[in-house]
Amino acid sequence: MRNLKYIYTLVVAILFTACTTSKSTVSTNVNLSKYEYASIINNDTYHIPAELMEYEIQLFDAVENSHLKLVSDARIHDLTPSQKEKLLLVKYGVNVQTEETIVTVNFIDYNTGRPVASCRGAYSSLGIAGFSHDINGAISRVAKQISETFPKSN
């Protein structure tokens, strides 16, 4: 009877994990191929919580693995007006719960302030594997969404 309970719990966990959805939403009125630069916002009003700081490296890598070139938010003023037209501001959020960890990365047109794309990575081990495993899984999935949304040209 105990083995049956264990198997049932395992099957429920697998089904629940399969239900986590990673996806990208892209504006229908925007040509993403025009963008060449990205600047991840990291200032006093917008920053990652200190306990998640080690994962910020992976988020930067995720953006850098797309076709977008990273520009420091402190160096945006050095870009020409033409380059600023090709610039996306990047904001990210992390939502950690027992049921699911979600990492969202939003891309906003620098000149208009309009959101043009949002990539979401979700992962869940139902707390079995631990916080670190779940957030790494969510970051890996959001990185895949970013690469598919902003693919490197051949």
Side-chain angles (χ1 to χ4, degrees):
M1 186 63 151
R2 186 175 180 158
N3 285 339
L4 185 60
K5 188 176 179 182
Y6 175 74
I7 291 171
Y8 175 75
T9 303
L10 184 61
V11 168
V12 169
I14 290 169
L15 289 174
F16 187 79
T17 301
C19 293
T20 60
T21 305
S22 299
K23 65 178 185 171
S24 294
T25 303
V26 178
S27 172
T28 57
N29 300 323
V30 175
N31 177 6
L32 293 182
S33 65
K34 85 170 195 173
Y35 295 102
E36 295 179 18
Y37 307 98
S39 181
I40 298 175
I41 304 302
N42 191 10
N43 57 32
D44 291 336
T45 57
Y46 184 80
H47 61 277
I48 195 165
E51 64 271 14
L52 301 177
M53 193 63 73
E54 66 183 277
Y55 302 103
E56 190 171 39
I57 294 168
Q58 293 171 311
L59 290 169
F60 271 71
D61 287 347
V63 173
E64 201 169 41
N65 287 332
S66 71
H67 78 261
L68 300 169
K69 297 177 196 106
L70 281 177
V71 175
S72 166
D73 57 343
R75 305 298 299 186
I76 291 175
H77 67 279
D78 293 340
L79 296 175
T80 67
S82 174
Q83 289 172 317
K84 288 178 183 176
E85 288 180 18
K86 300 173 184 178
L87 175 64
L88 289 171
L89 299 177
V90 181
K91 295 183 179 183
Y92 52 86
V94 179
N95 184 2
V96 178
Q97 298 179 347
T98 305
E99 309 82 41
E100 179 177 59
T101 298
I102 299 171
V103 176
T104 306
V105 181
N106 298 310
F107 297 86
I108 301 157
D109 183 281
Y110 175 77
N111 283 328
T112 65
R114 184 187 194 293
V116 297
S118 180
C119 298
R120 176 184 189 267
Y123 189 86
S124 178
S125 69
L126 295 175
I128 296 168
F131 164 80
S132 180
H133 179 76
D134 286 2
I135 197 163
N136 279 323
I139 289 172
S140 175
R141 289 186 177 176
V142 79
K144 182 176 187 248
Q145 294 299 316
I146 293 168
S147 291
E148 291 173 358
T149 305
F150 299 95
K152 290 187 176 189
S153 52
N154 295 328

